[in-house]
Amino acid sequence: MSFPKTITKLFFYSLLLVSLTSCNKAFNGGDFTAYFGGEILNPNKPYILFCKDDVVLDTIKLNKDNTFFIKFDSLKPGLYTFKNTPEYQYVYFDKNDSIMVTINSKEFDESIVFCGRGDEKNNFLMEMYLKNDADKQKMFDVFDANYEQFRTIIDTSYSSNKAFYKTKKEAIKWSSGFDEYAKAAIDYHYYSKKELYPIIHKIRTGKDISDQLPNDFYDFRKKIEMNNENLLGYAPYIYYLSRMLDNVGAVNYHNHLSEVDLALKTNINKLNIANQLITNEKIKNRIFNNIAFTYLLEDQNMVNNQKFFDVYYKYSTDKSQKNEIFKIGKAIQLLKTGNPLPTIQLEDRNGKIFASDLLEKKKTVLFFWTENASAHLIAAHKKVLDFKQKYPDYQFIAINLDPDQNKWNSTLSNYKFDGIKELRCVNFDQIKNKWALTKIHRTIVLDADHRIKNAFTNLFEVNFETLLK
């Protein structure tokens, strides 16, 4: 992507940063001064959140030209995140680094370029992130392969990434602190693929390949640091721990269990194993939250949810009101059959904002979409158009979850979904906290008085249509 004005501006800033950090004072033993700045094209929010392990350290306001610049009088070397909600990425600071970044929020990850003192190592992290992301998109067909084919493909990719890492490390000569993250980006992506292989292979092919794996297949687990707090805020590490628990926590003998009871047993098993394997409180709480989020995405059986929460609350020491799991747990309790649907703010295509309880009082189906999942967008609307013909006494309302009103209207102009009422949620945190919305595949069915018939269903479930009769 080309940003002529941005590059010119950042080149000027980079020269300024060099002059600011080139004096002897900047590099004396006790000085941890650092600088961070840049420009965000098409920002989602008028500010940047600068964070460490999900804790906001500073809120940096954007200037009128969408640039930002901040001096840190003392910044400890390490990995940080910068967020223009809902997007975020990592930035690593060594002592006295001065880093500038360009971003286009419409292509957030793909557009990021760092420059200034400390830029090369951060550009390496971004390149590895994009490589791994592209690799994930190609992996599902690979999981179908037999073991020998699978091993050849992932080992070839791993060897290539390690060679790339070694070349960059020698050229950039980065610090040992940064090297921990550089290696983690490569190693944990590879380890995650090995953990996922028997699970996804069985789902996609129906064949349990576990007995065909060599005895040393999981030997890499011996090298895993289960309590590495340095990697607490780094996604490849947390993602790996979650996938490992998916694997070792699987319940293999379950013919007597229903699908919802199996989900409960499996996820409680994962909580128990995580509690045994992980001793670091911060990492343990993070993993507990990941398990809970995943479970709550898939299963909304009220009785089972309470059983799950009983175990979760017993183990988790994160009692903060900011804990998302506690918020979701409270929201779920309000979404029981027969309850009124909690009120949120919605917006129509003309920009009018109104409370959801002002929607027409008739039988209603609410479903959700985002332009980032275009296949779901189309499939969900087509499904609803069919239902609309069969059940004219229902109103079908599509709620968009994207932050940009103009882009929402522009996306809809490409389609013809006559008869479906199109609205957009004004505040995603509100819909997440009040409707426990954590995935776009959720569907909510209301009766004529807008009381809940089912708040946790799915347009594509086999028995969904029975709710409309």
Side-chain angles (χ1 to χ4, degrees):
M1 178 153 301
S2 176
F3 303 111
K5 291 182 180 178
T6 301
I7 294 299
T8 302
K9 194 179 298 183
L10 289 178
F11 180 70
F12 169 76
Y13 278 134
S14 297
L15 292 177
L16 174 63
L17 291 175
V18 170
S19 68
L20 287 170
T21 58
S22 61
C23 60
N24 290 333
K25 182 178 181 246
F27 299 99
N28 70 44
D31 185 4
F32 283 83
T33 301
Y35 299 86
F36 185 46
E39 180 177 21
I40 299 185
L41 303 182
N42 309 301
N44 297 316
K45 303 288 184 182
Y47 54 83
I48 293 286
L49 297 178
F50 189 77
C51 309
K52 177 70 173 172
D53 298 336
D54 287 339
V55 176
V56 177
L57 303 181
D58 218 320
T59 300
I60 311 168
K61 290 184 178 180
L62 298 182
N63 300 317
K64 290 182 179 179
D65 59 355
N66 294 330
T67 60
F68 67 96
F69 188 78
I70 187 171
K71 174 186 176 183
F72 297 104
D73 292 329
S74 181
L75 188 68
K76 182 181 178 181
L79 189 74
Y80 297 84
T81 54
F82 57 94
K83 300 181 181 181
N84 189 237
T85 309
E87 304 286 358
Y88 78 96
Q89 255 308 339
Y90 300 105
V91 58
Y92 188 93
F93 277 86
D94 276 310
K95 187 172 182 288
N96 303 126
D97 273 352
S98 303
I99 298 171
M100 303 297 295
V101 61
T102 65
I103 311 163
N104 184 340
S105 69
K106 293 185 183 298
E107 298 175 328
F108 195 87
D109 297 323
E110 293 80 1
S111 69
I112 290 177
V113 178
F114 294 97
C115 63
R117 177 180 168 84
D119 63 339
E120 290 182 300
K121 60 179 177 285
N122 281 292
N123 283 324
F124 168 82
L125 273 191
M126 275 310 307
E127 192 163 356
M128 283 310 308
Y129 172 84
L130 294 173
K131 278 176 176 283
N132 290 343
D133 191 54
D135 188 51
K136 285 179 184 178
Q137 305 305 317
K138 298 183 293 186
M139 276 304 299
F140 281 98
D141 289 338
V142 178
F143 288 129
D144 290 355
N146 64 42
Y147 169 70
E148 291 300 330
Q149 293 171 324
F150 172 77
R151 185 190 66 180
T152 299
I153 292 170
I154 69 165
D155 285 357
T156 299
S157 173
Y158 187 42
S159 296
S160 174
N161 284 339
K162 286 196 293 186
F164 176 65
Y165 154 81
K166 184 177 180 181
T167 299
K168 288 294 186 180
K169 181 181 179 181
E170 291 173 354
I172 299 172
K173 302 186 187 308
W174 54 54
S175 66
S176 59
F178 176 78
D179 193 53
E180 184 171 25
Y181 296 96
K183 289 179 66 178
I186 294 166
D187 289 343
Y188 286 109
H189 177 67
Y190 172 67
Y191 300 155
S192 293
K193 289 190 282 190
K194 299 193 79 171
E195 297 287 359
L196 283 167
Y197 176 55
I199 300 171
I200 298 181
H201 186 85
K202 185 175 181 180
I203 291 171
R204 288 175 62 89
T205 68
K207 299 176 182 177
D208 189 343
I209 203 170
S210 301
D211 292 340
Q212 299 175 37
L213 301 176
N215 293 332
D216 63 352
F217 184 74
Y218 295 112
D219 277 3
F220 64 88
R221 288 177 180 168
K222 299 173 184 177
K223 298 183 289 184
I224 303 298
E225 295 182 60
M226 301 295 293
N227 298 285
N228 189 340
E229 195 168 320
N230 288 340
L231 297 177
L232 171 66
Y234 196 41
Y237 174 67
I238 298 298
Y239 181 79
Y240 167 74
L241 293 182
S242 299
R243 301 294 73 78
M244 182 270 292
L245 288 167
D246 287 342
N247 200 353
V248 301
V251 177
N252 295 317
Y253 302 100
H254 51 71
N255 292 337
H256 62 292
L257 295 175
S258 67
E259 187 174 338
V260 292
D261 287 341
L262 174 61
L264 173 67
K265 187 174 181 63
T266 299
N267 283 280
I268 287 180
N269 197 33
K270 286 157 65 174
L271 289 176
N272 290 331
I273 293 170
N275 189 56
Q276 293 169 3
L277 292 180
I278 304 171
T279 58
N280 182 281
E281 187 175 289
K282 291 182 180 179
I283 294 175
K284 186 180 289 193
N285 282 334
R286 177 69 64 87
I287 294 300
F288 287 158
N289 287 350
N290 281 4
I291 294 169
F293 268 123
T294 303
Y295 175 65
L296 295 172
L297 282 175
E298 300 302 330
D299 181 33
Q300 297 305 336
N301 178 288
M302 289 296 179
V303 174
N304 282 0
N305 272 347
Q306 191 55 54
K307 292 178 182 177
F308 176 85
F309 277 124
D310 288 345
V311 179
Y312 170 82
Y313 293 147
K314 180 177 75 172
Y315 288 148
S316 176
T317 60
D318 181 6
K319 308 301 183 185
S320 165
Q321 291 301 309
K322 295 181 180 179
N323 185 339
E324 295 295 324
I325 303 303
F326 281 82
K327 292 179 183 177
I328 291 174
K330 289 179 180 178
I332 287 172
Q333 292 306 308
L334 295 175
L335 295 171
K336 292 179 179 178
T337 299
N339 282 3
L341 187 66
T343 302
I344 67 164
Q345 296 294 302
L346 297 171
E347 185 172 18
D348 66 20
R349 295 191 68 179
N350 296 318
K352 179 183 176 183
I353 296 175
F354 61 95
S356 58
D357 59 2
L358 295 178
L359 289 168
E360 183 182 356
K361 284 290 195 295
K362 62 184 297 187
K363 291 188 285 187
T364 301
V365 172
L366 303 166
F367 66 103
F368 307 89
W369 64 276
T370 169
E371 66 162 349
N372 296 321
S374 57
H376 171 75
L377 183 170
I378 296 168
H381 278 80
K382 285 184 175 179
K383 192 80 171 174
V384 165
L385 288 174
D386 288 340
F387 286 141
K388 185 170 175 56
Q389 295 296 319
K390 297 171 70 174
Y391 304 99
D393 53 331
Y394 273 85
Q395 62 174 339
F396 293 85
I397 301 177
I399 299 179
N400 176 258
L401 304 175
D402 296 320
D404 190 317
Q405 169 85 358
N406 292 329
K407 197 167 184 180
W408 168 54
N409 272 318
S410 176
T411 301
L412 284 175
S413 67
N414 297 322
Y415 304 98
K416 190 174 182 180
F417 300 132
D418 292 343
I420 299 175
K421 190 176 185 67
E422 299 285 350
L423 300 172
R424 189 178 73 85
C425 84
V426 175
N427 185 323
F428 182 75
D429 285 337
Q430 188 183 66
I431 199 172
K432 180 179 70 174
N433 294 334
K434 289 194 171 187
W435 291 3
L437 190 77
T438 50
K439 63 175 182 177
I440 59 171
H441 295 88
R442 268 274 296 287
T443 303
I444 299 173
V445 181
L446 307 176
D447 66 18
D449 294 321
H450 278 195
R451 292 191 172 274
I452 296 168
K453 287 186 71 175
N454 192 322
F456 299 100
T457 185
N458 185 330
L459 289 172
F460 300 96
E461 284 186 3
V462 175
N463 297 322
F464 173 77
E465 200 168 345
T466 61
L467 290 169
L468 307 183
K469 295 177 178 177

